[in-house]
């Protein structure tokens, strides 16, 4: 199959795209995101037992957390791609970092999905990272399904949580399931589409298997859970009166969010959520092209977007994988495609699907699927690949860094390995790498959204590139995009404390400042010099 160009049968692409649901789970740290990912895969019978990020000694970790640092800290710092079948549909679940320090990776993943499941902690409600992620979903037009998690623990009032969603996001919450019993005293769930029955759950030992689900009629539910059943019925009647009823068109337009309740750790309510992804989430559709070039329909020849690059997922091979979302046409292993950024051909001999640390060869993939191209050293985050008819998707946004450190090798004898490692981490998007005239290329500056990104750099530089580094923090907290003239003015200014650097990845000049006050001072001194706010900047 090597060297083959794309032979696309549009009917295949259209039919297979209709069977796909490509979605991400997003949340604030500790809301239970990785646990929900495992529970969804468990209910789809893609795995036989679910792990948990935080568990007792000896309990297995989640399948989607593969990096040693993730397993040690109990957090997700990379993105995993899980593909499994449910009800004859193909689900592509893009698990994302939950920690705010790695939010830029999450934002990039949202460019590759058609829907998002927003996870809300029943006790904490909407948290800062949840708000940021929802803003990105709204900006990208990604519809959101809400899952209110941890209802088996003490938490807030259900109606209060709905009010918060509506007031904070200007989004109509429309419950599809409703809890019987307050948070921490969960008796079961009511599917509002069948309100005369109650679903009652018995948790499996350790939460590693599906919870036993039984159905109670209204009479039995009233007899055994009188007060809680009555309260749930009253609350649902109130919601119906206020028009909180699922509307597919409003959901897809980003005006409403269907809401589900449950407990991911206990596998309660997860089946209903999984069914909702199949029934409610949109299938892959046309994708906008860059510079007003119209849309690329799913039946067009193959095109794909590189949304993530990750190295050394397989310790024994020290390889590099570019994750490509198939946007149109049919991908066939061995086909030769074109990299839009250079116009050069790219062979796809080594194509894998990735499930945690497990991988298998991919022969064919369709719109909505994610393909891991192995040893894709030429590819970068944001690249467009296409066959036959040219396509260029909009560039991947770069987000506003808030932490800056000079990085140097501990051993100057490892300078070659140091440079190779820093370049690779930059290409993967682990950090942004900046270069300044003051320090030169031998001492680049790392720019990060959160300080934990620097821990990842230290870990990977030492363990993967055998080039330990030391970091020296810089006193800057914000950055603005400028031009060469603005950079020169900032570096010469005696009144404003700041520094100009250019970003290695795209050559953009950035002005770095200790505070918003210093930015204002520069704008007063040089009113004609451009300073542009970056995406996701804190103001």
């Amino acid at each position: 199959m090597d060297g083959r160009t794309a032979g696309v049968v549009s009917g295949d692409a259209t039919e297979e795209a209709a069977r796909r649901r490509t979605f991400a789970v997003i949340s604030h740290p500790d809301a239970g995101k990785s646990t929900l990912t495992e529970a969804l895969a468990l209910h789809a019978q893609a795995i036989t037992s679910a792990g948990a990020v935080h568990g007792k000694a000896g309990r297995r970790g989640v399948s989607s957390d593969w990096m040693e640092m993730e397993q040690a800290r109990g957090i997700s710092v990379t993105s995993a791609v899980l593909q499994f079948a449910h009800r004859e549909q193909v689900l592509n679940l893009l698990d994302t970092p939950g920690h705010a320090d790695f939010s830029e990776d999450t934002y990039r993943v949202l460019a590759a999905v058609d829907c998002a499941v927003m996870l809300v902690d029943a006790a904490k409600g909407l948290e800062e990272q949840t708000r940021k992620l929802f803003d990105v979903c709204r900006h990208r037009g990604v519809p959101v399904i809400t899952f209110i998690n941890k209802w088996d623990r003490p938490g807030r009032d259900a109606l209060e949580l709905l009010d918060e969603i509506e007031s904070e996001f200007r989004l109509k919450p429309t419950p599809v399931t409703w809890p019987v019993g307050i948070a921490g005293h969960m008796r079961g769930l009511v599917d509002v589409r069948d309100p005369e029955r109650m679903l009652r759950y018995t948790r499996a030992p350790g939460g590693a298997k599906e919870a036993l689900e039984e159905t109670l009629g209204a009479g039995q539910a009233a007899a055994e859970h009188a007060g809680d059943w009555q309260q749930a019925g009253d609350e649902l009647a109130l919601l119906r009166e206020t028009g909180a009823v699922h509307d597919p068109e409003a959901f897809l337009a980003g005006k409403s969010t269907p809401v589900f309740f449950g407990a991911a750790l206990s596998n309660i309510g997860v089946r209903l959520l999984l069914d909702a992804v199949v029934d409610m989430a949109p299938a892959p559709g046309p994708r906008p092209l860059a510079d007003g070039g119209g849309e690329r329909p799913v039946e067009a020849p193959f095109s794909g977007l590189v949304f993530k690059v990750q190295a050394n997922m397989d310790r024994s091979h020290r390889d590099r994988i570019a994750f490509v979302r198939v946007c149109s046409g049919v991908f066939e292993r061995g086909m030769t495609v074109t990299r839009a950024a250079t116009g050069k051909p790219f062979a796809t001999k080594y194509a894998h699907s990735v499930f945690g640390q497990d991988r298998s060869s991919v022969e064919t993939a369709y719109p909505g699927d994610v393909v891991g191209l192995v040893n894709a050293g030429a590819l970068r985050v944001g690249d467009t690949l296409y066959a036959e008819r040219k396509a260029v998707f909009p560039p991947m946004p770069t987000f506003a860094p808030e932490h800056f450190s000079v990085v140097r090798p501990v051993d100057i004898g490892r300078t070659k390995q140091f440079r190779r490692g820093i370049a690779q981490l930059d290409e993967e998007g682990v950090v942004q790498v900046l270069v300044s005239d003051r320090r030169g290329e031998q001492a680049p500056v790392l720019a990060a959204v959160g300080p934990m990104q620097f821990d990842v750099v230290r870990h990977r530089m030492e363990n993967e590139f055998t080039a330990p580094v030391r970091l020296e923090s810089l006193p800057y907290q914000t950055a603005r995009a400028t031009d060469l003239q603005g950079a020169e003015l900032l570096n010469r200014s005696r009144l404003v404390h700041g520094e100009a650097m250019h970003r290695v990845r795209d050559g953009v000049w950035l002005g770095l400042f200790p505070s918003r006050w210093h930015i204002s001072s520069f704008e007063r001194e040089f009113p004609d010099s451009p300073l542009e706010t970056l995406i996701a900047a804190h103001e």
Side-chain angles (χ1 to χ4, degrees), residues 8 53 122 163 167 251 272 278 287 306 316 325 355 432 494:
V8 175
V53 173
D163 287 341
S167 61
F251 162 60
L272 292 164
V278 170
R287 290 182 70 89
V306 179
S316 62
R325 150 75 190 241
F355 186 97
Q432 298 176 38
R494 297 183 179 181

Side-chain angles (χ1 to χ4, degrees), residues 65 67 69-70 75-79 97-99 102 105 452 456:
D65 286 349
M67 186 184 283
M69 182 177 171
E70 296 180 89
I75 59 172
S76 294
V77 301
T78 58
S79 301
H99 200 284
F102 306 100
D105 193 33
M452 202 177 294
V456 173

Side-chain angles (χ1 to χ4, degrees), residues 13 16 25 53 83 95 97 173 180 183 191 218 239 252 324 364 400 445 451 469 473 499 504 507 511 525:
E16 290 295 331
V25 178
V53 173
Q83 184 184 74
D95 185 29
V180 179
D191 186 331
L239 289 166
L252 296 176
V324 181
T364 308
V445 172
V469 298
S473 181
E499 185 176 350
V504 173
E525 185 178 2

Side-chain angles (χ1 to χ4, degrees), residues 95-110:
D95 185 29
T96 60
H99 200 284
D101 285 12
F102 306 100
S103 55
E104 187 168 359
D105 193 33
T106 301
Y107 298 154
R108 286 192 289 261
V109 168
L110 289 173

